[in-house]
Amino acid sequence: MAKLKVAVIGCGSIAKHRHLLEYHNNSEVDIVAVCDIVEERAQATAEQYGATAYTDYNQLLKAEDVDAVSVCLPNYLHAPVSIAASNAGCHVLCEKPMATSREEADQMIKAAEAAGKKLMIAHNQRFVPSHVKAKAIIESGELGKIYSFRTTFGHGGPEGWSIDGADSWFFNKDKAFIGAMGDLGVHKADLLRHLLGEEFVQVAGFIETSAKENTEVDDNAVCILKSESGIIGTLTASWAYNAKEDNSTVIYAEKGTLRLEDDPEYSLIAQYTSGEVVKYELGKIQSNDEGGQTNTGVIDHFVDAIVHDKNPLINGEEGKKSLEVIINALESAQGKETVGQ
């Protein structure tokens, strides 16, 4: 079978450290085109991967016969570029958060459906080994009833990770629409929906801009979530965990507690009411602090879904539901008490 012809639109940090590397390492893919508004960045990336460089995504979609597109752009461009790629007959892998509104998310889903193509949102937390194992334990029923949880995702902020540093679009409200909640919180909203197998029916958000200067987007957020069956817990997202990244989740249940990415040695620790403690060494979670080779599982899953005509685990509908959790938290913080889905 011929290789999948892939284009990557946006050549910033997420493309550089994740998408391009992982496409390059996948034997079923050929990176044929890259696009970035900064011409030198597009050219350098194209040379590295033997691709054609573009500065205009519309021109790329017209000129190139590509099977699939990765959208690695500022949040406000996720919907328009994903829709344009679907309309051009491409499968689409879009970075998170999926869009900047429920309406945009719906338009992305409709465009992919109309084209008969896949739409996947790049929520890599579902593929982390400790999270995969935790879901299996929860589904087995051995923990009994799930009561509560706490989850957090925080680091020192995008200036340490983004290709543009302190001048990054992450701090520009017109381009980002949301801060730490869209960068990090949406990952945990997606993870919890996946682990618990339930939707959240109530969300209360407490959102601040207190750690960063010259920005209107949130840099600290604490949300209280309640699921359909009454599981309640907290989700926090922060760009102010300056000393060390925290990417941990704890699930509290009738017969035990699961600690995910909460220990430097063991990525999953299961503590049972019987006194038994099981410690799993499953490989470390992907960190923004680490350079070099990566495999988040996102690209391989996307490629596999196309090649074998399967529905991606995080399709447009799933991406929208996770986006809605953070939109509801934002609306709650803006004055409404708690907001339901």
Side-chain angles (χ1 to χ4, degrees):
M1 184 180 160
K3 287 190 174 187
L4 280 181
K5 289 178 283 189
V6 169
V8 175
I9 301 178
C11 297
S13 290
I14 200 72
K16 186 177 174 183
H17 297 295
R18 301 278 194 268
H19 292 246
L20 288 160
L21 274 177
E22 294 179 29
Y23 278 129
H24 180 68
N25 291 336
N26 189 303
S27 61
E28 297 183 271
V29 169
D30 189 14
I31 302 168
V32 297
V34 296
C35 180
D36 198 282
I37 198 167
V38 179
E39 191 172 1
E40 302 79 38
R41 199 179 287 165
Q43 290 288 357
T45 307
E47 281 171 30
Q48 187 178 351
Y49 290 100
T52 305
Y54 292 85
T55 55
D56 181 335
Y57 70 87
N58 283 309
Q59 195 181 350
L60 183 157
L61 292 170
K62 272 184 201 153
E64 298 284 343
D65 177 25
V66 292
D67 301 304
V69 166
S70 264
V71 178
C72 303
L73 294 164
N75 300 341
Y76 78 110
L77 292 171
H78 286 182
V81 178
S82 294
I83 291 164
S86 291
N87 291 345
C90 303
H91 300 286
V92 175
L93 173 61
C94 181
E95 264 303 325
K96 53 74 209 167
M98 175 178 182
T100 66
S101 69
R102 299 176 183 91
E103 294 74 24
E104 278 189 347
D106 285 334
Q107 289 161 12
M108 289 167 70
I109 292 165
K110 279 180 189 156
E113 282 173 356
K117 299 295 176 182
K118 315 285 181 200
L119 170 62
M120 178 173 162
I121 312 305
H123 284 297
N124 58 350
Q125 297 251 336
R126 294 198 190 194
F127 301 102
V128 172
S130 60
H131 298 166
V132 173
K133 181 64 178 175
K135 182 164 176 65
I137 292 170
I138 290 167
E139 284 186 340
S140 76
E142 67 182 66
L143 290 174
K145 188 176 179 183
I146 308 294
Y147 295 133
S148 186
F149 60 84
R150 64 174 171 81
T151 189
T152 190
F153 197 177
H155 54 50
E159 62 268 50
W161 159 253
S162 173
I163 204 158
D164 294 317
D167 297 324
S168 173
W169 62 265
F170 279 99
F171 298 113
N172 181 330
K173 191 163 187 176
D174 291 338
K175 294 181 177 180
F177 125 81
I178 195 168
M181 279 291 285
D183 181 28
L184 308 175
V186 72
H187 269 313
K188 293 304 188 185
D190 187 75
L191 174 64
L192 285 165
R193 291 183 49 253
H194 180 60
L195 288 179
L196 301 176
E198 294 186 27
E199 299 304 330
F200 292 111
V201 293
Q202 274 187 296
V203 180
F206 300 86
I207 293 174
E208 274 298 327
T209 306
S210 57
K212 305 296 177 189
E213 293 177 353
N214 307 315
T215 185
E216 292 175 24
V217 297
D218 56 283
D219 53 33
N220 272 292
V222 177
C223 307
I224 303 167
L225 309 177
K226 180 181 175 180
S227 80
E228 292 164 300
S229 73
I231 304 168
I232 54 172
T234 58
L235 180 159
T236 59
S238 178
W239 285 342
Y241 293 2
N242 294 325
K244 194 172 185 297
E245 182 174 299
D246 189 347
N247 206 335
S248 62
T249 301
V250 183
I251 306 285
Y252 302 97
E254 181 185 2
K255 297 175 184 174
T257 297
L258 296 182
R259 297 187 175 276
L260 290 62
E261 306 299 334
D262 195 38
D263 181 276
E265 299 276 322
Y266 302 99
S267 54
L268 174 61
I269 299 175
Q271 303 164 318
Y272 295 94
T273 50
S274 63
E276 183 189 9
V277 177
V278 184
K279 297 179 177 181
Y280 298 89
E281 283 186 86
L282 298 165
K284 292 215 162 48
I285 196 167
Q286 204 73 54
S287 166
N288 287 352
D289 298 336
E290 296 161 13
Q293 297 297 318
T294 75
N295 189 358
T296 60
V298 169
I299 299 299
D300 289 348
H301 183 82
F302 178 57
V303 170
D304 186 64
I306 296 168
V307 171
H308 297 106
D309 192 21
K310 295 190 294 196
N311 193 19
L313 184 60
I314 310 108
N315 58 20
E317 287 82 0
E318 283 291 291
K320 185 193 173 190
K321 285 173 184 172
S322 298
L323 171 68
E324 281 191 298
V325 175
I326 64 163
I327 289 177
N328 288 342
L330 203 61
E331 288 175 353
S332 160
Q334 286 164 351
K336 297 179 184 177
E337 251 179 81
T338 58
V339 181
Q341 300 242 120

